[in-house]
Amino acid sequence: MAEFRFVTTWRFEAPIDEVYRAISSSLCWPAWWESLCSVEELAPGDANGIGRRYRYTWKSRLGYRLRFEIRVTRVRPGRSIEGIASGDVQGSGRWQLTEEGRVTRVRYEWRVRPVRRWMALVAPVAGPLFAWNHHAVMQDGATGLARWLGVRLLGTTRE
């Protein structure tokens, strides 16, 4: 079964605390992330957020919707959030934030394999299209977050 690893880095001229607050509040993401249709909280988790569960529904540029749950498995307040995905995709995601002077660097690593039957079947040949779609969705997030925070997006890179 095909597995994908996408790494995206956003750079904002903004304090790390502001950026972390926005990223750690995923119920607010639909207000600024154009590709995100909905977020539903399934479980609140403990005082640190471990065990929080959310269901996300994303719209792709390719015409399909992707639905999955994330269970938060690790939190370093102000610095990182990690979780396990299940649903249309299975795998893991990790947000890491660092501050470089007045610039906050956000690195997101997404390691998943498609579980939906049609996606799993076409993944070996449609990989470049899935990658293009992922990068477009992440660009929507970077642009939307900068606008939401009222800060400058200094750049987006991907690996």
Side-chain angles (χ1 to χ4, degrees), residues 56-72:
Y56 299 86
T57 303
W58 298 85
K59 58 184 171 187
S60 78
R61 297 266 173 88
L62 299 172
Y64 62 87
R65 295 205 178 214
L66 198 59
R67 192 172 196 192
F68 55 85
E69 292 180 15
I70 296 284
R71 180 177 48 84
V72 176

Side-chain angles (χ1 to χ4, degrees), residues 26-38:
S26 63
L27 288 173
C28 295
W29 290 4
W32 53 265
W33 203 323
E34 184 181 328
S35 303
L36 184 55
C37 300
S38 66

Side-chain angles (χ1 to χ4, degrees), residues 2 11-12 40 54 57 93 101 113 117 133 140 142 148 150 152:
R11 292 179 60 247
F12 300 101
E40 177 186 356
Y54 296 101
T57 303
R113 60 183 179 82
R117 184 169 169 74
N133 184 73
D140 286 349
W148 177 260
R152 276 192 334 139

Side-chain angles (χ1 to χ4, degrees), residues 55-100:
R55 178 178 297 125
Y56 299 86
T57 303
W58 298 85
K59 58 184 171 187
S60 78
R61 297 266 173 88
L62 299 172
Y64 62 87
R65 295 205 178 214
L66 198 59
R67 192 172 196 192
F68 55 85
E69 292 180 15
I70 296 284
R71 180 177 48 84
V72 176
T73 56
R74 185 173 184 199
V75 176
R76 288 183 49 226
R79 299 292 176 213
S80 66
I81 303 169
E82 298 178 28
I84 301 296
S86 61
D88 290 342
V89 294
Q90 289 184 345
S92 63
R94 176 177 37 200
W95 293 100
Q96 294 176 293
L97 288 77
T98 55
E99 196 168 37
E100 302 159 353

Side-chain angles (χ1 to χ4, degrees), residues 111-130:
R111 289 178 175 261
V112 292
R113 60 183 179 82
V115 175
R116 262 171 102 175
R117 184 169 169 74
W118 74 265
M119 289 180 78
L121 288 172
V122 302
V125 293
L129 284 173
F130 290 160

